[in-house]
Amino acid sequence: MLEKTYEPETVEDRIFADWIAANAFAAGAGAKPGAETFTIVIPPPNVTGSLHIGHALNNTIQDILIRYNRMLKKDVLWQPGMDHAGIATQMIVERQLAERQQPGRREMGREKFVERVWEWKDESGGAIINQLKRLGASADFSRERFTMGSRSEPDDQMVRAVTKVFVELKKRGLIYRAKRLVNWHPGLETAISDLEVENIEVKGHMWHLRYPLADGVTYEFPVAFDEDGKPTGYETRDYIVVATTRPETMLGDTGVAVHPDDERYKGLIGKFVTLPLVGRRIPIIADTYADPALGSGAVKITPAHDFNDFEVGVRNDLSQINIFTTTAAINDNAPEAYRGLDRFEARKKILADLEAGGILDHVEDKKIMVPHDEKSKLVVIEPFLADQWFADAETLAQPAIKAVREGRTRFVPQQYENLFFAWMENIKPWCVSRQLWWGHRIPAWYGPDGEAFVEESEAAALAAAEKHYGRTVELKRDEDVLDTWFSSALWPFSTLGWPEETPELKRYYQTDVLVTGFDIIFFWVARMMMMGLEFMGEEPFHTVYMHALVRDEKGQKMSKTKGNVIDPLKLIEEYGADATRFTLAAMAAQGRDIRLSINRVEGYRNFVTKLWNAARFLEMNECRRVAGYDPKANKLPLNRWIVGATARAVAAVTRGIEEYKFNEAANAAYDFVWGTFCDWYVEFSKPVLMGADEASKAETQATAAYVLDQILKILHPFMPFVTEELWGETGKAGPARESQLILAEWPELSGLEDPQADAELNWLMELISSVRSVKTELNVPGGAKLPLVVVGASEETTRRLVESAALITRLARLEAISPAASVPQGSAQFVVGEATWALPLEGVIDIGAEKARLTREMDKLDGEVAGIDRKLANEQFVAKAPEEVIEEQRTRREAAVERRAKIAEAIARLS
RNA sequence: GGGUGCGUAGCUCAGCGGGAGAGCACUGCCUUCACACGGCAGGGGUCACAGGUUCAAUCCCUGUCGCACCCA
């Protein structure tokens, strides 16, 4: 006997263990022989991460797809794993060392430190994998991969894949080493990706500085203007005003730019200024980068410390002077007075000195965008000139762009293709080197003169060097590691065994769908596509499903600092994994963010309980599965109707999942289970189950059990735990289950539609609802049982009444039903079908209230008829609207008119 | 500044050319033999605003206002 309420916490762990024991998540589990494959690679979560609500949504959707396809009996692989999160992991371990007052990274040395990171990984990394399990994720955990391979196997295939790709790309000219401006993290002393930079608006200042002209040059600067803005007065200046938000970078200025068409400064182009505090003579150049409308119209150029200035410098052949150390302190390229100062200290001192020297013209407040590292949002990122390895992203992007243009990879929803194109078509060289220790060390060895030998092993590099130099030389390996995303980009094929030609690689690549949030389109999608196309010659997936961002109920992005984070693990604890999953699925409408509210989760928890109790009812009434039950052979309209409705529900859920409309699928299941099966079918079944007609009873018991089975199947991808539990419980009676629900076959029901049974049951539901409604509106006490009188019933109605009398009297709480030639005095009346129905309430009924009620209904019908008449009277409508629309309007009108006539009669009878 | 998306019931959201929907919340009744995490019945919306296209517009187009996100 099932408990009264379902308690997820006591069931979920056990069910999960059962699945694992049955090997149900293994690639190909339950597949039909020769079945096609269905593969998803998890977008690898970060080894330092823990499950947040975005992961919960992401993995719920993947699991729905996986479980659904597994039930279609395909050869399913859900490939799980994690990435090694170079920066984040190194930071955590360094912080840990500091907290424990142990020797730091540099004191400990590289080898020991990396060893230490592995220890951390083994002890506390990867919590998220267990959290995914709590969510019910049915990934093949036996195949779990890690982008760094494994600690015990330095030559792990995951590592070899990365090395091989790097070496190959170098040989193909798609990776090169160059001195370029990169985004530099002065705290970690490493380059980071431009995607790891977040521009944050802060209150800043615009400092206007007077740079003195060199060589005694002066010019006339307009200071007075007429109505048309034409200058009318000038002053003689021996300086040019430049505006900057970062005055400390002036130490690295190597030019001043003005717009070539800017009349104010035309005469100065080609002249020089003397850089204050430094004394360097730098040219005034013409470049359209200078915006005459912005600031003073003249702009200082610091090629080594600003991305735009870098470009200007290249165009105008300006030198690049780096003034910062790797920790963003002033270096020896600056005047002695500033050396060693931190960038913010330097700013203060420089401003003070400029002011003292009369250089500072004026200051204005300005909101400025400042690059921060997007993790902590605390460290200001510096554009920094450094030797780095770059991938030629532009070249690599072309086939990926083409793949999407030509539809070989499709985005759902499609609008995200625009975002993809926008980024891919303006893609910058990808800096792939990081000055970290935790990561894939770059397979480059340098000779004595700095020549780089990029090979898969040190031996190969030595051989190449010997060939190059004509003698054996000592080589020094590159200190840097690769961007974590470099290895993540290989995920769709490296996890399948590449560079080995494994059977898995052959079988499961190309994978099917990548499921991800749009905020990460550039990280996963773009890079996986580039590498997949380059090394496998085929797109890594044919479909990219972009799901929404989960926000709080007010639409705010969840963040720890805001304190509005909803922890999915808490939801799972409180409401169960099934309710959590179902909520996310039901709210996952395409192209729209999810505003998650606890109320919804609670509502769906109630749904889980409802399902549980329906099963409990069936159990109590001995609704057991019957071997050889044929839903087409049902005799009772009730059972013929419900199997047809089940078929419609199955079709709706199937369509929803197939079209990635998870909310539609979830809602279709919800509506059917609660609104149709529980609210009507179960109620209808009661008189039969408690009646004396053994044949009907048996048929209903078998049908109920059959329908519940279908319900468990279609709900399983959304609510795997409770459905599996019920599958097990209901499997205890009747024929033995062939498998767990997870490996059961998805229903494909056809030929179960029965319009006649539908019509009959619809009529029944309308009749019962009408009685209830009238009783409520006339304030008849709920418990009171009234007789129901029918007038003008057709033969068909009479037959239905005879067959279903017990059922109607029960559900509508009636005393009896009887035909009559006319409506009894003082009755409440209503119309269903062709007949008029009456509830005799002589003496009880408030004639005025009843009249008012009927009049309201008549008015409504009048309104409807009038509306339709307006349309039908419109010649244009009749001429231009499609025939079926016109026909539909006529039918509706006819029905309304008929009904109105009966209501009118009913009113007349009251008077 | 450029781009994208969104403004539908108190809240969270579906629907997106021909009869305004769901969940939660709300009101009333019901301790009816699965379920009060329940049942039954209800109330509640000029579908942001203004134009336009159309026989017909919540739905398509244009503009305005408001909000969100992305990029500069």
Side-chain angles (χ1 to χ4, degrees), chain A residues 439-686:
Chain A
H440 296 278
R441 195 156 171 188
I442 291 175
W445 285 262
Y446 300 98
D449 57 352
E451 179 74 19
F453 301 91
V454 175
E455 299 292 345
E456 288 188 43
S457 67
E458 183 163 19
L462 282 167
E466 190 173 339
K467 204 170 156 200
H468 174 79
Y469 294 111
R471 62 189 167 89
T472 23
V473 293
E474 258 191 44
L475 298 179
K476 197 166 172 292
R477 185 164 186 180
D478 199 308
E479 292 290 322
D480 294 347
V481 300
L482 287 164
D483 179 7
T484 305
W485 298 93
F486 190 91
S487 38
S488 308
L490 319 182
W491 193 251
F493 50 96
S494 64
T495 52
L496 297 175
W498 192 91
E500 257 65 75
E501 300 232 353
T502 59
E504 287 89 348
L505 185 65
K506 211 169 159 187
R507 181 147 185 78
Y508 295 110
Y509 194 93
Q510 168 189 75
T511 76
D512 288 84
V513 192
L514 185 76
V515 178
T516 184
F518 75 89
D519 51 332
I520 225 147
I521 185 166
F522 312 125
F523 288 107
W524 313 113
V525 183
R527 286 169 180 174
M528 286 176 178
M529 285 190 70
M530 289 184 204
M531 293 303 194
L533 284 158
E534 183 68 25
F535 288 92
M536 298 297 296
E538 191 182 8
E539 298 74 19
F541 22 73
H542 57 70
T543 300
V544 178
Y545 176 75
M546 312 291 291
H547 61 246
L549 215 64
V550 184
R551 301 170 178 283
D552 74 0
E553 53 198 325
K554 293 185 199 100
Q556 303 271 328
K557 221 168 168 170
M558 290 186 190
S559 77
K560 279 184 194 147
T561 44
K562 278 186 208 145
N564 61 347
V565 174
I566 296 179
D567 178 359
L569 295 167
K570 289 228 175 83
L571 288 183
I572 291 171
E573 261 172 48
E574 196 168 346
Y575 300 100
D578 291 325
T580 304
R581 292 166 57 114
F582 201 88
T583 307
L584 292 169
M587 296 187 78
Q590 278 185 16
R592 193 159 180 159
D593 286 345
I594 294 178
R595 294 195 193 188
L596 188 62
S597 85
I598 292 284
N599 285 339
R600 292 296 288 265
V601 187
E602 199 178 316
Y604 291 121
R605 188 269 321 266
N606 296 350
F607 176 54
V608 172
T609 308
K610 185 77 183 176
L611 171 68
W612 182 262
N613 276 297
R616 191 159 163 264
F617 170 82
L618 263 53
E619 184 186 48
M620 292 169 76
N621 286 280
E622 294 169 346
C623 298
R624 295 178 186 140
R625 294 167 305 114
V626 171
Y629 168 79
D630 178 7
K632 291 192 183 74
N634 282 334
K635 297 222 161 46
L636 293 184
L638 171 63
N639 293 326
R640 297 181 65 78
W641 161 73
I642 196 64
V643 295
T646 306
R648 281 193 293 276
V650 168
V653 174
T654 305
R655 193 183 330 113
I657 299 176
E658 290 281 351
E659 293 176 357
Y660 300 96
K661 293 178 177 170
F662 301 103
N663 58 322
E664 290 183 12
N667 286 324
Y670 182 100
D671 287 347
F672 174 69
V673 172
W674 201 319
T676 301
F677 184 70
C678 293
D679 285 350
W680 289 108
Y681 179 77
V682 166
E683 294 305 323
F684 284 151
S685 74
K686 285 176 181 173

Side-chain angles (χ1 to χ4, degrees), chain A residues 831-850:
Chain A
V831 178
V832 170
E834 81 293 342
T836 299
W837 307 76
L839 293 167
L841 286 164
E842 182 90 73
V844 185
I845 187 175
D846 175 343
I847 299 285
E850 170 65 351

Side-chain angles (χ1 to χ4, degrees), chain A residues 281-353:
Chain A
R281 198 175 134 87
I282 60 175
I284 296 171
I285 54 149
D287 195 289
T288 50
Y289 168 65
D291 181 354
L294 239 163
S296 65
V299 57
K300 65 194 254 329
I301 302 296
T302 323
H305 295 287
D306 181 280
F307 286 98
N308 289 312
D309 290 10
F310 183 86
E311 298 297 326
V312 176
V314 169
R315 280 199 292 274
N316 296 280
D317 206 24
L318 300 178
S319 56
Q320 301 161 347
I321 299 176
N322 175 23
I323 58 155
F324 285 146
T325 66
T326 55
T327 56
I330 304 294
N331 71 13
D332 292 351
N333 290 331
E336 220 175 320
Y338 306 105
R339 290 180 195 165
L341 289 179
D342 170 77
R343 51 187 164 161
F344 302 111
E345 291 299 314
R347 174 181 296 184
K348 279 185 203 155
K349 180 163 169 55
I350 285 167
L351 283 171
D353 292 350

Side-chain angles (χ1 to χ4, degrees), chain A residues 46 88 101 104 120 136 146 148 186-187 222 253 286 316 321 374 384 400 585 681 702 728 784 853 887 903:
Chain A
N46 177 325
Q101 302 189 325
W120 173 87
F146 185 48
M148 279 296 283
D253 284 0
N316 296 280
I321 299 176
E374 59 99 48
F384 189 73
Y681 179 77
R853 184 184 71 83
E887 199 41 51
I903 300 289

Side-chain angles (χ1 to χ4, degrees), chain A residues 61 132 136 157 228 349 490 700 719 755 850 853 861 876:
Chain A
I61 289 170
L132 288 175
Q157 161 264 329
D228 302 328
K349 180 163 169 55
L490 319 182
T700 302
M719 312 196 315
E850 170 65 351
R853 184 184 71 83
L861 288 165
Q876 298 277 19

Side-chain angles (χ1 to χ4, degrees), chain A residues 759-787:
Chain A
E760 182 155 346
L761 271 291
N762 283 336
W763 171 85
L764 258 178
M765 290 186 272
E766 191 188 344
L767 178 60
I768 292 163
S769 293
S770 300
V771 175
R772 287 167 172 170
S773 188
V774 170
K775 282 171 85 176
T776 303
E777 282 183 55
L778 296 180
N779 293 319
V780 177
K785 290 193 173 179
L786 303 176

